[in-house]
Amino acid sequence: MSTKNEKRFVYCDNAATTRVLPVIAAEIMPYFTENYGNPSSLYSKGRDAKKALDDSRARIAAVLNCLPNEIYFTGGGSEGDNWAIKGAAKANQKKGKHIISTKIEHPAVLNTLSSLEKEGFEVTLLDVYENGIVRAEDFKAAIRPDTVLAAIMTANNEIGTVQPIKELCAIAHENGVLFFTDAVQAVGHIDIDLKDTGVDMMSFSGHKIHAPKGIGVLYLKNGIRVSNLVDGGGQERKKRGGTENVPGAVGTACALELMCSDWGRTKRAEILSLREELCDELLKIPYIRLNGDRNRRLPGNINISCEFIEGESLILWLDINGICASTGSACSTASLDPSHVLLALGLSHETAHGSLRITLDVENTCEDIEYIASTVRGVVEKLRAMSPLYDNVLKSK
Amino acid sequence: MYSEKVMDHFTNPRNVGEIENADGIGEVGNAKCGDIMRMYLKIDNDIITDVKFKTFGCGAAIATSSMATELIKGKSIKDALKLTNSAVVEALDGLPPVKIHCSVLAEEAVKAALADYYRKTGREIDFDTGCDGCCDACGKH
């Protein structure tokens, strides 16, 4: 383990947020300082901003293989989730008030569903089993005549597992059910072709792919009826009020193109290789398990549970050693309950409390991997040395 | 989130370990809730001459365990029984509200170890040992 004197810094919490890459920041900057017009204004500065916005829409649509008029800018991933779910459920409730989702969705989805339940909608949450993957047969069995919408994430934010969206979407459509996917963690990190997957709605967020915070995108397939969430001055073709975030839109277009370019795909392969190396090293530490399917997950995601220690202590020690990572243990948040995602995998509360999420991205290196592995090993040993649970294990041997 | 003092006790916890043939051992908490504190006491003539602890828990749990041991070391049993979670919090320059239960656990760990000492020495336990199952944060007690 490193001493405090070493100044090494490793950011490996890219599922939380990413650094705005310099090339993206450079492209955005003029939209703060020069081309700062309101896209709704009629004069040239406004028209310039509108052009930048529409260009960004077209660039995003081209990468995702959809039409530009199916791309709507939002304030972030959570807004997109809220808009798609509430909007589709309410606009189509004559068909029924039953919604299917999963136990591992992001709170932006789960809490939106809870809110709809208070308005008379009924929600079925699918299991994901030990591998963190939804089974098509479970989905099929959950569909009822009054099922109006399915909301199933493309990739999980904690364990990184990737769902069989194309297969699930096909089942939904065979049964006349609308399909929404929260792809906040997936877009830019795996290939997504909207025509191929067939989803009706998809949300993602700029700051997970090296664009700024405060910008999101909702794809709404043409012809899908969705009520407005934010009423206002008629922006976004009267579907989402509020002055558009032009620098954010430009940044998201730039980031998405970069992450899905040949460079981005090469980087993904490198990230996957680093992840596998790190995963192998971490799993050499006794009493550590990988959470979720090892192969059907995002390239940069590792989520492990370290038995006999608590996640927050682990994170604090990693931070002291210059490593930014995350824990699924809610002890570091306002709630003391462990992660609902880890519990959905069947982990005990005790095991779930000791989880660590490492999410690698384009800027991580081989040296980072060695440093993370050795530091985690040292911290785990240090914390276990004072753990009465580990003490019990040693004495029982 | 944490005061410098909490971080100091978290990174350099005092009195970590185990006392062989301890005169009193107390364990409180529950792994399900994410916190377990085990405390060992050496007592001579009603004076706590040594104290050690082991803790499974968050930064606050480790820091409050450490501070509690510091506050009772060298004290009489009578004085140790007066230890409150508020005193632990104050000595650590405060804790976030969601972490106050860790200080409660630290107080209870001290009392559980003293109760064990009372039992071993055939004395009547005339003090409240608090919840012996868990911190009060889960709302089940």
Side-chain angles (χ1 to χ4, degrees):
Chain A
M1 187 170 43
S2 154
T3 65
K4 277 186 182 176
N5 295 332
E6 287 183 42
K7 296 290 183 190
R8 192 171 177 88
F9 173 78
V10 177
Y11 185 77
C12 53
D13 197 18
N14 289 282
T17 196
T18 53
R19 185 166 88 99
V20 177
L21 295 174
V23 64
I24 296 167
E27 187 160 343
I28 295 169
M29 196 52 78
Y31 295 94
F32 286 115
T33 56
E34 293 162 40
N35 305 329
Y36 50 82
N38 186 324
S40 299
S41 299
L42 292 175
Y43 42 78
S44 61
K45 236 179 183 33
R47 292 199 304 273
D48 288 348
K50 178 81 164 66
K51 183 175 184 316
L53 194 67
D54 287 343
D55 284 351
S56 301
R57 206 185 305 278
R59 291 165 73 184
I60 292 167
V63 173
L64 297 175
N65 194 18
C66 66
L67 297 171
N69 68 3
E70 294 174 315
I71 294 293
Y72 296 85
F73 290 110
T74 67
S78 292
E79 186 191 319
D81 291 349
N82 271 264
W83 183 12
I85 295 170
K86 288 178 182 167
K90 288 177 183 176
N92 298 280
Q93 60 184 308
K94 276 187 184 166
K95 191 212 171 217
K97 298 183 93 172
H98 178 236
I99 304 170
I100 300 171
S101 189
T102 80
K103 290 183 178 173
I104 62 166
E105 297 296 313
H106 189 275
V109 169
L110 290 176
N111 289 334
T112 299
L113 293 172
S114 296
S115 167
L116 284 174
E117 281 183 308
K118 288 174 192 151
E119 295 181 36
F121 285 86
E122 201 179 332
V123 176
T124 298
L125 296 179
L126 301 173
D127 287 318
V128 294
Y129 307 95
E130 194 181 359
N131 66 357
I133 309 283
V134 173
R135 292 180 186 167
E137 58 267 32
D138 287 354
F139 179 52
K140 205 179 285 185
I143 294 174
R144 312 187 318 206
D146 62 337
T147 304
V148 65
L149 172 69
I152 298 178
M153 67 194 338
T154 301
N156 184 263
N157 50 304
E158 290 188 36
I159 55 173
T161 49
V162 177
Q163 303 301 334
I165 293 302
K166 185 177 175 181
E167 185 185 4
L168 297 173
C169 183
I171 294 168
H173 288 170
E174 281 163 18
N175 292 277
V177 174
L178 289 171
F179 197 92
F180 163 69
T181 187
D182 168 349
V184 167
Q185 294 291 336
V187 166
H189 301 287
I190 57 173
D191 285 329
I192 290 180
D193 181 321
L194 286 165
K195 287 268 183 333
D196 183 53
T197 58
V199 298
D200 300 301
M201 299 169 282
M202 181 184 84
S203 64
F204 70 95
S205 176
H207 77 107
K208 308 292 189 184
I209 53 170
H210 302 282
K213 295 166 187 64
I215 179 76
V217 169
L218 180 65
Y219 158 75
L220 282 180
K221 192 194 281 178
N222 281 335
I224 302 297
R225 290 177 58 233
V226 176
S227 304
N228 288 2
L229 183 73
V230 180
D231 290 315
Q235 291 90 349
E236 295 296 286
R237 298 183 299 288
K238 297 184 181 173
K239 284 185 179 294
R240 196 269 185 185
T243 301
E244 293 95 338
N245 176 352
V246 178
V250 171
T252 301
C254 181
L256 186 62
E257 282 178 344
L258 186 66
M259 295 293 279
C260 296
S261 66
D262 288 344
W263 175 86
R265 290 198 177 92
T266 304
K267 279 287 176 191
R268 280 186 224 165
E270 289 171 14
I271 293 165
L272 179 61
S273 169
L274 292 177
R275 182 198 79 188
E276 286 299 282
E277 190 185 329
L278 178 57
C279 202
D280 286 341
E281 286 304 310
L282 294 175
L283 293 176
K284 286 178 188 166
I285 303 170
Y287 304 109
I288 282 191
R289 54 164 286 162
L290 180 71
N291 295 318
D293 192 283
R294 179 151 180 175
N295 300 314
R296 294 162 74 184
R297 68 198 299 139
L298 294 170
N301 178 286
I302 295 178
N303 187 305
I304 53 171
S305 285
C306 311
E307 301 272 6
F308 320 121
I309 60 176
E310 201 277 334
E312 187 202 271
S313 295
L314 183 55
I315 294 302
L316 289 173
W317 266 113
L318 292 181
D319 180 44
I320 289 164
N321 285 278
I323 296 174
C324 300
S326 175
T327 178
S329 167
C331 198
S332 55
T333 67
S335 160
L336 298 174
D337 295 328
S339 149
H340 68 285
V341 175
L342 299 179
L343 295 183
L345 300 184
L347 266 65
S348 67
H349 279 59
E350 296 91 304
T351 305
H353 275 301
S355 64
L356 171 68
R357 180 186 72 178
I358 292 168
T359 44
L360 307 171
D361 206 274
V362 296
E363 297 193 295
N364 290 114
T365 63
C366 291
E367 290 75 27
D368 290 348
I369 298 311
E370 288 168 22
Y371 183 66
I372 294 167
S374 65
T375 307
V376 170
R377 178 179 284 276
V379 170
V380 167
E381 284 171 3
K382 180 193 281 281
L383 290 171
R384 280 184 181 160
M386 69 167 81
S387 168
L389 296 177
Y390 193 56
D391 208 25
N392 293 344
V393 171
L394 294 179
K395 283 175 182 167
S396 68
K397 279 187 173 176
Chain B
M1 177 183 175
Y2 286 138
S3 70
E4 278 184 29
K5 231 169 192 174
V6 171
M7 287 307 291
D8 177 31
H9 277 262
F10 169 68
T11 52
N12 302 293
R14 282 63 148 176
N15 308 309
V16 174
E18 184 176 336
I19 298 173
E20 280 193 37
N21 302 316
D23 297 310
I25 302 173
E27 182 171 307
V28 294
N30 182 324
K32 192 178 173 185
C33 297
D35 292 305
I36 291 181
M37 291 180 192
R38 185 185 293 164
M39 211 158 273
Y40 302 85
L41 301 176
K42 198 76 190 164
I43 298 172
D44 279 330
N45 291 324
D46 278 3
I47 300 294
I48 297 170
T49 56
D50 197 10
V51 51
K52 299 272 186 205
F53 81 91
K54 289 209 168 184
T55 291
F56 159 77
C58 61
I62 291 169
T64 54
S65 306
S66 169
M67 181 54 86
T69 61
E70 285 285 272
L71 291 174
I72 63 166
K73 199 170 183 178
K75 297 273 170 65
S76 67
I77 290 174
K78 202 176 157 189
D79 284 342
L81 282 170
K82 289 179 190 161
L83 178 78
T84 63
N85 77 298
S86 307
V88 175
V89 173
E90 195 179 331
L92 287 169
D93 293 340
L95 280 176
V98 73
K99 302 290 187 179
I100 293 295
H101 74 280
C102 295
S103 67
V104 174
L105 218 52
E107 176 192 329
E108 288 174 352
V110 169
K111 287 180 176 165
L114 286 168
D116 183 52
Y117 170 69
Y118 272 47
R119 270 191 295 271
K120 283 174 176 163
T121 52
R123 294 161 74 158
E124 185 190 345
I125 300 169
D126 55 357
F127 53 90
D128 181 12
T129 56
C131 166
D132 60 0
C134 182
C135 58
D136 61 354
C138 67
K140 290 178 183 164
H141 299 280

